[in-house]
Amino acid sequence: MKPPAGSGGALRVDKWLWFARVTKSRSLAQKLASGGHVRINKDKITSASKTVKVGDVLTIGLERRILILKVVALGTRRGPYAEAQLLYEDMSPPPPEKTDKPMAPAQRESGAGRPTKRDRRRMDAFREPD
């Protein structure tokens, strides 16, 4: 597949975030950019009207992760996901692997509810063996 047209010039950062399917709507892209969660080439931006060019590196702080995207093309429309992936090169670090640690004895599984009096006595006996 070839990159979409519009790979020359510049484009507003909020439009590019929307075209690249980083956000669900353009208004969310504007809030993300004006909220200080986007950096262009390590420079923090506070306006959604800042422009991005091919070769720029965007650092985007999302709710639970940080995306580092290099702009490969600007795009002309919000297309399907496969087309949106051609607009950037993902340089984000891989997420940390989850390790299965054994639960501490005093911890209960989430959703197990409040411990009964019998459970509390067992936990106390486990903590303080007499």
Side-chain angles (χ1 to χ4, degrees):
M1 293 174 118
K2 64 177 186 159
S7 51
L11 186 69
R12 287 174 54 114
V13 69
D14 60 335
K15 273 182 116 173
W16 189 88
L17 291 172
W18 185 58
F19 286 168
R21 292 189 168 268
V22 175
T23 59
K24 289 185 178 184
S25 68
R26 184 148 172 221
S27 60
L28 287 175
Q30 287 173 340
K31 287 179 185 176
L32 191 69
S34 61
H37 299 285
V38 179
R39 292 175 180 261
I40 300 176
N41 297 328
K42 297 184 182 180
D43 296 327
K44 195 176 209 180
I45 63 168
T46 57
S47 172
S49 65
K50 298 291 182 187
T51 58
V52 292
K53 302 177 295 294
V54 174
D56 285 347
V57 176
L58 300 178
T59 306
I60 306 158
L62 296 177
E63 191 172 320
R64 295 179 187 228
R65 61 188 172 152
I66 296 176
L67 291 177
I68 302 171
L69 305 176
K70 183 176 181 181
V71 179
V72 176
L74 297 178
T76 55
R77 68 182 189 113
R78 180 177 165 92
Y81 182 69
E83 186 178 315
Q85 281 184 314
L86 298 175
L87 298 180
Y88 60 87
E89 175 188 340
D90 192 2
M91 300 172 17
S92 305
E97 292 185 22
K98 294 182 181 179
T99 58
D100 293 332
K101 294 182 182 178
M103 284 184 23
Q107 289 182 343
R108 296 172 50 85
E109 292 183 20
S110 64
R114 189 171 172 184
T116 62
K117 189 171 188 177
R118 182 178 181 191
D119 292 337
R120 288 195 304 271
R121 286 183 182 150
R122 286 183 179 169
M123 286 188 280
D124 290 342
F126 184 80
R127 285 188 203 138
E128 302 167 7
D130 289 331

